[in-house]
Amino acid sequence: MPTTYDAHRHIGRLPAYPFYGGPPVNPDTTARDQIADLLADLDREGTERALLLPNYGVPVAGASFALNELVLETAAKDDRFVCGLWTSPRAQDAELTDAALALAGERGVVALKTSFLLGGGVDDPTSQPQIERIFGTAGERDLVVHVHTSPGAASDIDEVGKLVERYGDDVRIHLVHLGGGMSAHIKLIGGRFFDWIEAGKKVYTDTSWAIGFAPRWLADEIERRGIGADRVLFASDEPWGDHAGELARLQAASGNTELVRMFLQDNYSTLYG
């Protein structure tokens, strides 16, 4: 089992929620809220180091913001972890986001996590003050902004990609999920990701949730173009992802062992320390 560095996983339990009009459920069945349980997971997986983020996904703003204290505590207790703080672009979360950004200088903080999955938008005027504060703080403190991507609506790569255009010259931006979905994979791997790199944008991605063909194609394009090898990271997205499956897919993406090692270890060390 190879040693891996996980550039995107979560800690904390969320309240049950009636998604899509169904009964209240907790689909993140492997969620952890105890450091000992999380460390046991890492040992079983062969994960040496990890970027830890608050769990999120239910439209209860305070639940994820409250987990900022847990990621700080975990990073302080064990140097296998660094952490990212949960922030929100939504106007109604502005005070909570300001409180989170006030913690950006704490030990172990290397990233700020944000998402439009629960509201707000890149071009939404009510989101602009929060977006500016998030990226401004990241620039001042040399932190990575970790942004969720998924198909359609405000998290679509056509929207989130605007953040790379606006802020990517000065702030490192980690686009999780390789843009999210078939259309985004094709847009990014077919050119946009490499165009950004050639333009000097500080853009990174991971292959969690990626459709099977995408990591293979991404590795092929990196070798063909001769750029981008240092911009792709392994990430499990546990408990929403599947560590074993994500690892197997990325290991199989290329026969170039040096390239795969960069994905699994080296690029994490460079980006997150």
Side-chain angles (χ1 to χ4, degrees):
M1 180 183 298
T3 297
T4 59
Y5 299 165
D6 189 342
H8 173 195
R9 70 189 299 147
H10 302 274
I11 189 172
R13 295 185 186 275
L14 298 171
Y17 188 78
F19 296 96
Y20 310 115
V25 293
N26 291 103
D28 53 339
T29 57
T30 58
R32 307 298 188 199
D33 58 5
Q34 300 297 316
I35 298 172
D37 293 336
L38 183 61
L39 286 169
D41 287 345
L42 265 61
D43 290 342
R44 184 183 65 256
E45 298 164 358
T47 301
E48 180 61 31
R49 298 159 67 186
L51 170 66
L52 200 59
L53 303 159
N55 202 0
Y56 80 101
V58 301
V60 181
S64 294
F65 278 103
L67 294 173
N68 280 336
E69 293 294 340
L70 181 57
V71 297
L72 288 171
E73 176 188 354
T74 306
K77 284 186 175 180
D78 197 300
D79 60 11
R80 291 171 72 176
F81 299 106
V82 290
C83 68
L85 299 171
W86 174 253
T87 65
S88 169
R90 303 195 315 164
Q92 57 266 50
D93 299 336
E95 290 187 9
L96 291 169
T97 290
D98 285 346
L101 295 177
L103 301 172
E106 294 293 317
R107 175 184 173 185
V109 176
V110 298
L112 302 174
K113 173 76 176 191
T114 199
S115 173
F116 300 95
L117 190 64
L118 303 179
V122 173
D123 290 328
D124 181 344
T126 70
S127 295
Q128 298 313 301
Q130 292 72 244
I131 293 172
E132 285 290 332
R133 285 197 289 273
I134 291 165
F135 280 89
T137 300
E140 291 167 6
R141 294 193 173 275
D142 195 26
L143 304 176
V144 179
V145 178
H146 208 268
V147 189
H148 170 82
T149 65
S150 55
S155 294
D156 193 88
I157 194 61
D158 287 344
E159 294 300 311
V160 174
K162 296 174 184 177
L163 298 175
V164 178
E165 297 286 351
R166 293 174 190 172
Y167 300 103
D169 290 337
D170 303 309
V171 177
R172 293 170 295 165
I173 302 173
H174 178 162
L175 301 173
V176 306
H177 308 319
L178 192 53
M182 173 75 77
S183 62
H185 296 340
I186 292 174
K187 289 172 183 177
L188 286 179
I189 302 169
R192 195 175 302 181
F193 183 61
F194 298 98
D195 291 345
W196 282 332
I197 294 171
E198 289 181 331
K201 304 298 184 183
K202 300 176 181 180
V203 62
Y204 300 79
T205 194
D206 67 56
T207 57
S208 60
W209 293 17
I211 298 172
F213 76 93
R216 294 194 301 267
W217 185 27
L218 178 59
D220 287 347
E221 284 297 291
I222 286 171
E223 296 209 75
R224 185 180 73 82
R225 294 171 182 260
I227 60 171
D230 58 341
R231 303 300 184 94
V232 179
L233 301 101
F234 168 73
S236 72
D237 195 26
E238 287 280 1
W240 298 101
D242 165 44
H243 182 280
E246 299 294 353
L247 178 58
R249 184 161 54 249
L250 195 53
Q251 284 181 290
S254 174
N256 183 330
T257 56
E258 180 180 356
L259 183 63
V260 172
R261 190 197 70 242
M262 292 179 73
F263 294 166
L264 297 182
Q265 298 179 358
D266 297 358
N267 295 344
Y268 176 103
S269 297
T270 300
L271 187 59
Y272 292 119

